[in-house]
Amino acid sequence: MTEPAPTAVHIIGAGPAGLMAAETLARAGTRVIVHDRMPSVGRKFLMAGRGGLNLTHSEPQESFLSRYGPAQAAITDWLDGFSPDDLTAWAEGLGQPTFVGSSGRVFPRAMKASPLLRAWLGRLTELGVEIRTRSRWSGWRGEALVFDTPEGERLETPAATVLALGGASWPRLGSDGAWVPTLEGAGVAVAPLVPANAGFDVVWSDILTERFAGQVLKPVTLTFGEQAVRGELVVTRYGIEGGGIYALSAPLREAIAAEGTAILVVDLRPDLTEAALAERLARPRGKDSLTNHLRKAGGLSPVAIAVLREIGDIPPGFEKLAKRIKAVRLKLTGIQGLARAISTAGGVQIDGLDPALMLTARPGVFVAGEMIDWEAPTGGYLLQASMASGVVAARGVLQWRASQSPDKTPA
């Protein structure tokens, strides 16, 4: 007697990409089982929302897509299937109104991830999605998926599989990159996982770190090569971090890997021209110390003055001083590791996937989210592309299953 064909699609990884794939499939009437190795789901999603959950960005499409660098062509297709407007409407459909901040970023009014996640899990339950926690995928045995669970080893034969295992950033929250050797063993090309949106090392003096670690330089303009970004920097004991540096993390990381160091140029007064700043500095300072003069006439904060002094003696002459303030050269000597990175670059290479995000090396297995080789700065771009990839992979599953049984509608 022939065994009945499996009907459940198994999704491995219950982050935003995996849960979005689950919702898309369940809405199409597919039986869905989601696995996550952690005791609860969406842990990195919740962590990302602690400072205000940035859902997406409202900037024009051309600028938005440019944030994805070499992966732009592929991600353009993903966002055609699930756009920033779609994501905003999805959140509001879960009872979470949104607003656009002054930076153009889109947030839920609650500013937290937890209300959105609770509403989302409630919807998935209503759609019949089964979520199994403490279920860690360890590979394949023939066509079966192998899971390590508290009850012991469990085998599942899927109708199709979506892998949404994340990269390797913040591994304590569940994404540890342990899937890499398993996929490589199956003939899948995987680019090395490296930190993205991470801080960089700078050798500060003890005085600076003791007095100013944790303080913010803003607004500043950061320049590396031909790229310039306006934002902010946070001075840390190890160096610098913050939204401004994250936007340049890819080229800086590559430069450090190739040369050992990279020079970041920081404009401490981006709102003033060099000539206008020199004119202000030329004003008589009277009995003010140089530090007070830099604060009053130059408009520099104490931490900005400390960074200015850190790179060398204050140059004589107002023109030279203005030039220095407009182009502080920081030597970056390294990048923080995966455990401190917000996201990951590297992963399953895009040329090993078809347009529906199915592995060419293993038909019926689809990939979504951060475990694919792409990266983007913070600002809504990470979550947008991750969730869009979940939609694309789920639709790919539906199409593939239909192609396997052309006379039947996928269950």
Side-chain angles (χ1 to χ4, degrees), residues 11-267:
I11 297 174
I12 306 174
L19 294 180
M20 185 55 74
E23 179 176 343
T24 304
L25 286 164
R27 284 186 177 280
T30 302
R31 182 180 171 221
V32 180
I33 300 172
V34 180
H35 302 261
D36 198 281
R37 75 179 185 90
M38 303 299 284
S40 60
V41 306
R43 292 194 168 199
K44 189 173 178 182
F45 182 64
L46 291 172
M47 176 68 80
R50 281 191 175 181
L53 180 64
N54 191 185
L55 292 171
T56 186
H57 204 289
S58 63
E59 70 184 350
Q61 184 181 40
E62 183 177 354
S63 298
F64 194 108
L65 293 171
S66 71
R67 310 297 183 181
Y68 296 102
Q72 178 177 339
I75 293 178
T76 296
D77 292 339
W78 303 357
L79 268 61
D80 285 343
F82 191 73
S83 70
D85 287 344
D86 293 330
L87 197 161
T88 300
W90 169 84
E92 294 186 343
L94 284 170
Q96 298 298 310
T98 63
F99 72 97
V100 179
S102 58
S103 64
R105 300 180 180 192
V106 179
F107 300 90
R109 290 200 181 279
M111 291 297 289
K112 296 179 180 179
S114 51
L116 183 61
L117 183 59
R118 282 195 299 270
W120 195 3
L121 293 176
R123 174 184 285 176
L124 292 174
T125 298
E126 291 174 359
L127 289 169
V129 173
E130 179 184 349
I131 296 179
R132 298 177 184 172
T133 56
R134 292 187 170 92
S135 180
R136 180 172 189 140
W137 178 61
S138 59
W140 287 282
R141 188 170 299 161
E143 296 302 312
L145 300 166
V146 183
F147 295 95
D148 298 322
T149 77
E151 293 75 36
E153 183 179 272
R154 182 168 181 165
L155 301 183
E156 297 284 355
T157 302
T161 303
V162 178
L163 301 178
L165 291 155
S169 61
W170 285 346
R172 64 188 177 84
L173 299 179
S175 300
D176 59 4
W179 51 267
V180 171
T182 301
L183 290 194
E184 288 181 331
V188 178
V190 180
L193 298 176
V194 295
N197 292 302
F200 287 83
D201 302 332
V202 178
V203 180
W204 298 127
S205 67
D206 291 341
I207 292 176
L208 186 139
T209 55
E210 288 171 6
R211 294 183 180 177
F212 297 104
Q215 295 198 26
V216 180
L217 284 166
K218 66 177 183 179
V220 293
T221 295
L222 312 176
T223 302
F224 181 69
E226 299 298 318
Q227 294 181 258
V229 175
R230 185 177 172 117
E232 63 180 40
L233 285 181
V234 180
V235 174
T236 69
R237 292 192 173 275
Y238 66 79
I240 52 176
E241 62 184 28
I245 196 71
Y246 299 156
L248 295 172
S249 65
L252 286 169
R253 181 187 67 232
E254 292 167 4
I256 291 171
E259 306 293 335
T261 62
I263 300 298
L264 178 71
V265 179
V266 183
D267 182 350

